[in-house]
């Protein structure tokens, strides 16, 4: 299967879309959604990850860049 360069994102062959998934603090795996674009799936993952204190993909760079302003 095709993998993604982003944490929490994988290629779903059956749907031909990227799947965003995260493991919640109670160890339940949550499918966030399916996306046409890999970056959209990564952003969806990041929003959930940031809210529960997990590392992010794209948002961490943006947050870091914003702190330098």
């Amino acid at each position: 299967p095709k993998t993604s360069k982003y944490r929490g994102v994988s290629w779903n062959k059956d749907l031909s879309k990227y799947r965003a998934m995260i493991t919640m603090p109670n160890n339940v795996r949550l499918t966030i959604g399916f996306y046409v674009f890999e970056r959209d799936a990564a952003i969806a993952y990041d929003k959930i990850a940031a809210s529960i204190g997990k590392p992010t993909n794209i948002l961490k760079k943006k947050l870091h860049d914003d702190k330098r302003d």
Side-chain angles (χ1 to χ4, degrees):
K2 183 177 179 181
T3 60
S4 171
K5 61 184 176 182
Y6 298 112
R7 176 183 294 119
V9 177
S10 61
W11 179 250
N12 184 287
K13 184 178 174 182
D14 294 335
L15 297 177
S16 296
K17 291 185 178 183
Y18 288 96
R19 176 184 187 183
M21 175 183 266
I22 194 165
T23 303
M24 300 301 284
N26 60 357
N27 290 326
V28 172
R29 294 179 75 186
L30 173 69
T31 295
I32 299 164
F34 295 90
Y35 302 85
V36 173
F37 299 107
E38 184 179 27
R39 183 175 169 87
D40 291 342
I43 291 170
Y45 170 90
D46 281 1
K47 289 178 181 177
I48 302 295
S51 73
I52 61 172
K54 286 194 165 211
T56 59
N57 297 298
I58 296 167
L59 294 180
K60 68 180 171 188
K61 181 176 181 345
K62 172 143 181 49
L63 291 171
H64 179 71
D65 291 347
D66 289 347
K67 287 180 183 176
R68 286 194 276 166
D69 293 341

